[in-house]
Amino acid sequence: MSDSAAQLEVAAVVVAAGKGLRVGGDLPKQYRRVGGRAVLTRTLAALAQSPRIARIQPVIAPDAADFFFECVADLEPAHREKLVEPVPGGATRQQSVAAGLEGLVRAGAPDLVLVHDAARPFVDEGLIARAVAAGAEHGAAVPGITVSDTIKLVEEIAPGIGRVHETPARENLRAVQTPQSFRFGPLLDAHRRAVAENRDGFTDDGALAEWAGLGVVVFEGDARNRKITQAADLIEADRAFSGQTFAD
Ligand code: CTP
Ligand code: MG
């Protein structure tokens, strides 16, 4: 980490206000247990253990406060202390991130913010350190991994059928993850501008930052840092974390 990165105050926004429709089940995926602990508890603990992260702003669905505080109760006290009051999320991920950033304005704006999906409990210190360093140096930085599949750009012409427009060179493609790292002021301004101009539906902050004209870089992500998206991902995460508990 460069000296400048070491001096920056870093906060994280954890977006946990989704419904987890693709995983299914009664309880949204971030509150389901993997290896005996809720996904969200693991994600919060993974961020809170980092000496680089001073504060964490959780964003939750207004009707999930009970589940959220169960997760909080399961954290070590030192980790719990880094949490600020949760704020209610919105109907889209973008709206939830914006709510989290506004929450951080009220709690005291940091220099740098890491925006992270609650559904990515595998985030670790190495990835956090790379995110902080890249965000400090470049202002807007997202973790990406090379892709092993060939990716087609298509236009859907019938249900399940896409007309191929283009096959981008695979070596130029990256699959993007979180934590995404930004200078706080510029990201906040970009989100506020998107609200003012009625632009919603950016699926990540990297895309919103690009739209706002911020130069965005991709740094090295981590193939293990998968997002729990489908039911099978939850089963796999349960296995991975159970194995870890056993080995401990
Ligand atoms: N998220 C959020 N607010 C929303 C939508 C999503 O805070 N309105 C969060 C989710 O809780 C998750 C992250 O954004 O941690 C990534 O979204 P995704 O994986 O799509 O989760 P869900 O939207 O909950 O799942 P699905 O799309 O299957 O319903
Ligand atoms: Mg979603």
Side-chain angles (χ1 to χ4, degrees), residues 14-24 28-30 59-60 89-97 116-120 227-229:
V14 174
V15 281
K19 294 190 164 80
L21 296 177
R22 285 169 290 180
V23 165
K29 60 190 179 185
Q30 60 272 31
V59 182
I60 64 171
T92 64
R93 184 186 184 280
Q94 184 189 325
Q95 290 172 24
S96 293
V97 175
H116 188 61
D117 293 329
R120 292 188 192 267
K227 179 160 70 74
I228 296 174
T229 303

Side-chain angles (χ1 to χ4, degrees), residues 1-8 10 111-114 129-141 181-183:
M1 188 163 51
S2 68
D3 285 351
S4 70
Q7 286 156 11
L8 296 178
V10 184
D111 300 308
L112 199 72
V113 63
L114 305 187
R130 292 201 293 284
V132 170
E137 186 170 351
H138 300 283
S181 178
F182 303 90
R183 289 277 175 172

Side-chain angles (χ1 to χ4, degrees), residues 31-222:
Y31 299 115
R32 304 274 287 272
R33 285 176 182 266
V34 290
R37 288 179 102 188
V39 170
L40 179 57
T41 306
R42 290 193 178 276
T43 302
L44 292 173
L47 294 171
Q49 65 71 40
S50 175
R52 292 171 175 81
I53 297 179
R55 264 173 303 143
I56 301 175
Q57 172 67 70
V59 182
I60 64 171
D63 62 359
D66 290 354
F67 298 126
F68 171 74
F69 285 108
E70 274 176 39
C71 292
V72 173
D74 207 18
L75 287 171
E76 284 176 30
H79 293 171
R80 203 178 298 149
E81 277 172 19
K82 290 193 179 182
L83 297 185
V84 303
E85 277 300 299
V87 293
T92 64
R93 184 186 184 280
Q94 184 189 325
Q95 290 172 24
S96 293
V97 175
L101 297 175
E102 298 294 350
L104 279 179
V105 171
R106 293 187 292 274
D111 300 308
L112 199 72
V113 63
L114 305 187
V115 180
H116 188 61
D117 293 329
R120 292 188 192 267
F122 293 103
V123 58
D124 69 6
E125 185 58 26
L127 185 55
I128 292 167
R130 292 201 293 284
V132 170
E137 186 170 351
H138 300 283
V142 302
I145 56 174
T146 54
V147 293
S148 47
D149 293 326
T150 294
I151 311 276
K152 305 283 182 190
L153 186 67
V154 302
E155 176 199 353
E156 191 166 70
I157 54 171
I161 303 291
R163 171 83 60 208
V164 175
H165 277 283
E166 206 186 318
T167 305
R170 196 167 59 197
E171 62 269 26
N172 296 333
L173 294 173
R174 299 290 180 274
V176 163
Q177 313 178 324
T178 72
Q180 301 192 348
S181 178
F182 303 90
R183 289 277 175 172
F184 184 75
L187 185 67
L188 178 68
D189 289 346
H191 269 274
R192 285 180 171 173
R193 204 177 117 197
V195 171
E197 297 184 21
N198 268 313
R199 291 290 307 247
D200 197 8
F202 288 107
T203 52
D204 80 335
D205 297 279
L208 186 144
E210 272 172 60
W211 167 80
L214 303 179
V216 180
V217 302
V218 177
F219 63 92
E220 189 194 342
D222 184 342

